[in-house]
Amino acid sequence: MINRLLFSISIFVLVFNPGLVSWADGGPVFYVSPNGNDTWSGTLPETNSSGTDGPWASPEYALEALRSLRPGLETSPSYPIKLIFQGGIYELTEPLTLKPEDSGTASAPLILAAYGDEEPVFSGGVSISGWKEVHIGKSTLWAVSIPQAREHTWDFRELWVNGERRLRARHPNRGYLQIAGLPDVTKETPWNQGQQRFAFHPGDIRHWSNLDDVEVVPMHLWVAVRLHIAGIDEKNNIVTFTKPSRRRLSLGFDHKIPAPYYVENAFELLDEPGEWYLDRKTGTLYYAPMPGESINNTEIIAPWLKQALVFEGKPESGDFVEYIYMRGLTFSHTEYRLDADDPGDTQAAIYVPGAVYGEGVRRCIFEDCTVAHVGNYGLELARGCHENRIANCDIFDTAAGGIKIGEGKIRENTDEQTFRNEIYSTHIHDGGHIYHQGIGVWIGQSGHNCLSHCEIDDFYYSGISVGWTWGYKETLAQGNIIEFNNIHHIGSKANREEPILSDMGGIYTLGTQPGTIIRGNTFHDIAARDYGGWGIYFDEGSTHIVAEKNLVYRTSHGGFHQHYGKENIVRNNIFAYGTNWQIQRSREEEHKSFTFEKNIVYWNEGKLLSGRWDKNFEMHDNLYWQADGQTFQFGNRTWEEWLKAGFGKGSVIEDPRFANPGTDNFSITDNSSVDKIGFIGFDATKNGLIENG
């Protein structure tokens, strides 16, 4: 029933073509400025000569004023209504909220836009002033009183100084500690059984002052865990926490390999410029200034609001926020705070909402917008969001991931389902600062979306995740198109910081997804700490997915991996420079798992195949080449045995003669032998962002 309803919806591009709307169309225009006044008319961009009229001052007032003025503005329904924001910071006291009554129409949208090239910033944070210089031991620090912290009404994990994220006081300053042992774990302990204590190496954890403030952050496989200390047994070097983790605190599925971790937010750890510490007992915030920073001209902002912008539709009753176009706006300084009993270790950090959050959003546009310096995901289109467009945006410095589309649950009501959204030429980068398992783009129970020409980089976990059904049960994640994107430095960030999580991919999929196509993308520089740094990763139940014309290179555990699934097609891809192995197949089932055809596999270290290669898969017309020219095996078979088993039909072992693979140039030269397998060349240099797109 659900899937048939999805296919009955009219095609997105026919009912809503954003190219038909001009930002410069006529219609009423109102202005907002940090230097404005809410008693004025809002119809002038600047204050008049007599100082009696000009722009409004606050975005919240501007929206309320438009609601009251709306009836008198609708005499010309073919023109948009524009709300233009001048540059500067707008400190919000509550999230800017758009409701169904704020909606425009296809011919007369409501436009919220920046004034010219200026940069209006909607801030959910508080600029902290009143700093005093204090001398403690050999350290010179800045300190300020935060009464709300002492009263337990304000706590935060993030601080931005002069537009840059600063680290909470941390041990070690770089790198990670290692859990010494798990006293409650045996080889019979399930991997998904959490622990409430672990053993540490002497000196790694101490009886710091204000232990209630301290957080210990271990890494389990594919999630980070945030734990508060309940007590320390210094004799046996055991730390106990106020709540258990959700999973075993081991690095791999082998219970004997403990996880890495770090500790943060103790005053004694405040030992490096740029670090800060919030003492909740005294309500004092400390900051160790960077060289050259002055106490009199440094802007320091802490997050106050959970979200900066909320679309408050009610799709269950058919009340949508629609035809609102946003251009050139920036949203910053928000933070999602965990409940006291939540260790925060859910896959993909899907519980963390977007700093820009919408339900019941339909046919809206986000263009040239920025979401940056936030303690959340960047932008989220959750329940009942249809046919929206995110284009030419910049999303970075997030506590979790970049963009979330859809939900983790399946909605029966079509209006409450999320589908046919587009993300185009958007840069999503530098995420996972607090919730390390955040995803660049997460698409849950949502179908027929298009993600194209984006660049996604610098995340600790997967670049893209599509689907949220484990196995072969019902799902709404069908017909998603992932094309011409550049996804890189996943797991291991571009600053060469070591990987901390496992079981990840440049793209990660789940469940039955007919119509989903992954084509023309570049995936590179992907690495996991223990296992599972793959380029294309078909996880549990991934079915009827096509991956074609992708370039995948420099992956720690292979270019392609299928855990289990049905009848996927992997064709005409280039898989190069896997470290441990190139291609992996884990579970063997009583159906065809995939067809692997017309691919080039090129490597200079590690094995060709890993996992189960006995039956129920199809491989033909592929080119294999180990760059040093050495012989290699196909799993436990020789080339002759592989041919005899029927998996090498039409395949060759020959040098593909790439133009210059040592400099990441995998273009096909004229004298290449790839024609023998029917390989069709493609230009990967055009993947990623479209300038002025």
Side-chain angles (χ1 to χ4, degrees):
M1 178 64 171
I2 292 173
N3 295 339
R4 287 199 299 271
L5 286 172
L6 268 177
F7 280 106
S8 70
I9 297 164
S10 56
I11 297 175
F12 174 34
V13 294
L14 295 181
V15 299
F16 176 57
N17 186 345
L20 298 178
V21 176
S22 170
W23 296 103
D25 285 340
V29 181
F30 298 91
Y31 299 91
V32 186
S33 168
N35 300 315
N37 190 314
D38 287 339
T39 65
W40 292 340
S41 69
T43 58
L44 301 177
E46 305 288 347
T47 306
N48 64 9
S49 57
S50 60
T52 58
D53 198 7
W56 292 320
S58 68
E60 301 96 326
Y61 177 84
L63 284 178
E64 286 296 335
L66 277 188
R67 288 171 190 141
S68 63
L69 292 170
R70 216 32 148 18
L73 299 175
E74 293 178 348
T75 55
S76 301
S78 61
Y79 291 114
I81 299 171
K82 300 189 188 77
L83 189 57
I84 307 299
F85 296 89
Q86 295 187 356
I89 294 180
Y90 297 88
E91 289 193 354
L92 303 174
T93 57
E94 58 185 23
L96 192 63
T97 302
L98 293 164
K99 303 177 181 181
E101 56 263 39
D102 298 315
S103 297
T105 64
S107 59
L110 171 63
I111 294 177
L112 280 67
Y115 184 80
D117 294 329
E118 296 185 9
E119 298 180 9
V121 178
F122 299 88
S123 173
V126 174
S127 182
I128 298 176
S129 58
W131 294 91
K132 303 292 184 183
E133 194 172 90
V134 297
H135 302 277
I136 301 175
K138 296 181 179 180
S139 300
T140 299
L141 306 173
W142 299 350
V144 66
S145 177
I146 308 287
Q148 299 93 330
R150 184 176 61 250
E151 297 160 3
H152 304 294
T153 59
W154 190 22
D155 190 13
F156 47 88
R157 288 191 176 91
E158 276 126 329
L159 198 71
W160 292 278
V161 179
N162 290 337
E164 295 182 351
R165 178 182 291 269
R166 293 288 188 252
L167 287 177
R168 281 172 114 189
R170 171 185 158 144
H171 173 59
N173 289 329
R174 278 162 289 282
Y176 300 89
L177 305 169
Q178 202 75 24
I179 292 174
L182 301 171
D184 303 316
V185 170
T186 68
K187 62 182 180 180
E188 285 79 27
T189 304
W191 67 267
N192 57 353
Q193 179 175 311
Q195 282 88 55
Q196 200 160 347
R197 62 179 187 153
F198 65 68
F200 57 89
H201 295 287
D204 283 354
I205 295 179
R206 304 170 189 171
H207 263 294
W208 295 296
S209 59
N210 294 347
L211 272 183
D212 289 346
D213 289 342
V214 176
E215 278 192 308
V216 178
V217 188
M219 313 298 157
H220 155 85
L221 300 178
W222 54 84
V223 294
V225 192
R226 306 197 76 87
L227 300 171
H228 287 278
I229 295 174
I232 298 174
D233 176 353
E234 289 188 297
K235 179 180 178 181
N236 297 300
N237 292 321
I238 301 289
V239 59
T240 302
F241 302 105
T242 59
K243 56 197 173 190
S245 62
R246 288 189 172 94
R247 300 171 181 85
R248 190 174 64 205
L249 297 176
S250 55
L251 182 62
F253 285 99
D254 184 341
H255 72 285
K256 296 180 181 179
I257 306 176
Y261 73 99
Y262 62 91
V263 184
E264 65 179 12
N265 206 44
F267 179 81
E268 292 85 347
L269 307 181
L270 192 59
D271 59 359
E272 187 169 273
E275 290 188 326
W276 61 276
Y277 163 65
L278 177 62
D279 185 336
R280 294 183 298 168
K281 185 175 292 185
T282 65
T284 304
L285 175 63
Y286 295 94
Y287 174 63
M290 298 283 285
E293 289 180 342
S294 166
I295 202 168
N296 297 317
N297 60 8
T298 298
E299 179 188 65
I300 301 180
I301 297 176
W304 177 264
L305 298 179
K306 181 170 73 173
Q307 284 145 334
L309 175 66
V310 173
F311 290 77
E312 206 172 72
K314 297 179 180 178
E316 72 278 8
S317 58
D319 293 324
F320 292 93
V321 182
E322 56 187 348
Y323 295 112
I324 296 180
Y325 304 165
M326 316 194 76
R327 187 187 67 181
L329 309 180
T330 295
F331 303 92
S332 296
H333 311 133
T334 60
E335 183 180 75
Y336 170 77
R337 299 172 182 90
L338 290 170
D339 294 335
D341 60 348
D342 187 354
D345 50 351
T346 301
Q347 183 171 335
I350 63 164
Y351 52 83
V352 179
V356 174
Y357 177 85
E359 293 191 20
V361 184
R362 186 166 66 178
R363 299 166 187 162
C364 292
I365 297 175
F366 303 85
E367 182 176 281
D368 296 320
C369 290
T370 298
V371 185
H373 314 311
V374 295
N376 322 54
Y377 264 83
L379 188 155
E380 179 175 5
L381 297 176
R383 180 177 62 112
C385 294
H386 319 162
E387 304 152 276
N388 302 289
R389 188 171 198 252
I390 302 164
N392 305 108
C393 293
D394 195 6
I395 299 175
F396 65 96
D397 185 25
T398 65
I403 295 176
K404 290 168 65 180
I405 302 291
E407 303 176 276
K409 67 181 297 183
I410 293 176
R411 300 280 181 177
E412 296 291 333
N413 178 0
T414 308
D415 280 345
E416 293 186 82
Q417 295 170 9
T418 294
F419 51 84
R420 296 194 189 282
N421 299 286
E422 180 186 10
I423 308 170
Y424 175 76
S425 193
T426 288
H427 194 187
I428 303 160
H429 54 116
D430 188 26
H433 285 283
I434 304 295
Y435 308 102
H436 302 316
Q437 64 270 31
I439 305 284
V441 174
W442 180 86
I443 300 174
Q445 296 291 359
S446 178
H448 307 282
N449 304 288
C450 181
L451 172 66
S452 68
H453 282 292
C454 293
E455 183 169 2
I456 301 170
D457 59 283
D458 282 333
F459 284 88
Y460 292 104
Y461 192 45
S462 294
I464 303 168
S465 179
V466 183
W468 208 243
T469 296
W470 281 256
Y472 303 112
K473 296 177 291 185
E474 188 173 41
T475 176
L476 294 180
Q478 304 178 12
N480 290 297
I481 306 299
I482 313 297
E483 60 184 3
F484 312 126
N485 303 287
N486 183 15
I487 297 92
H488 61 95
H489 293 97
I490 302 299
S492 178
K493 290 197 169 189
N495 62 7
R496 307 303 180 195
E497 186 176 345
E498 63 183 292
I500 56 176
L501 298 175
S502 297
D503 205 272
M504 68 184 64
I507 184 167
Y508 170 92
T509 65
L510 287 166
T512 302
Q513 301 194 35
T516 290
I517 301 174
I518 304 164
R519 66 183 169 210
N521 304 282
T522 302
F523 302 96
H524 66 96
D525 293 286
I526 297 162
R529 186 176 183 98
D530 181 59
Y531 78 95
W534 297 293
I536 299 173
Y537 178 12
F538 291 169
D539 201 10
E540 301 190 33
S542 293
T543 295
H544 295 150
I545 301 172
V546 175
E548 61 185 1
K549 295 186 178 180
N550 300 286
L551 170 61
V552 186
Y553 62 95
R554 278 200 301 274
T555 57
S556 62
H557 293 84
F560 169 68
H561 171 225
Q562 179 163 311
H563 180 183
Y564 69 88
K566 291 182 183 180
E567 299 169 359
N568 297 300
I569 297 175
V570 182
R571 67 185 173 210
N572 212 101
N573 304 281
I574 297 172
F575 298 106
Y577 295 141
T579 301
N580 291 345
W581 43 79
Q582 316 311 311
I583 308 296
Q584 184 172 357
R585 177 178 184 252
S586 293
R587 182 183 297 183
E588 193 169 76
E589 297 178 299
E590 294 306 313
H591 52 246
K592 182 194 291 186
S593 56
F594 57 76
T595 298
F596 190 89
E597 61 183 357
K598 300 182 180 181
N599 299 288
I600 300 172
V601 186
Y602 181 95
W603 73 104
N604 57 6
E605 62 180 318
K607 299 179 180 179
L608 171 60
L609 302 179
S610 173
R612 302 288 302 277
W613 298 95
D614 300 320
K615 60 180 182 178
N616 296 335
F617 65 93
E618 184 177 336
M619 297 183 77
H620 62 83
D621 295 290
N622 298 295
L623 183 151
Y624 306 98
W625 186 250
Q626 188 167 12
D628 60 9
Q630 298 295 313
T631 59
F632 54 90
Q633 288 196 301
F634 292 76
N636 58 3
R637 295 182 174 98
T638 65
W639 172 236
E640 291 73 20
E641 291 169 337
W642 187 251
L643 288 171
K644 186 175 180 180
F647 302 130
K649 181 181 177 181
S651 298
V652 297
I653 299 176
E654 293 189 25
D655 188 344
R657 297 185 179 91
F658 293 127
N660 194 344
T663 61
D664 304 336
N665 184 350
F666 297 93
S667 58
I668 304 300
T669 58
D670 291 338
N671 62 347
S672 175
S673 55
V674 299
D675 289 344
K676 294 180 180 180
I677 62 169
F679 183 86
I680 300 172
F682 53 85
D683 184 1
T685 64
K686 296 181 180 179
N687 295 344
L689 300 172
I690 300 290
E691 188 174 354
N692 299 321

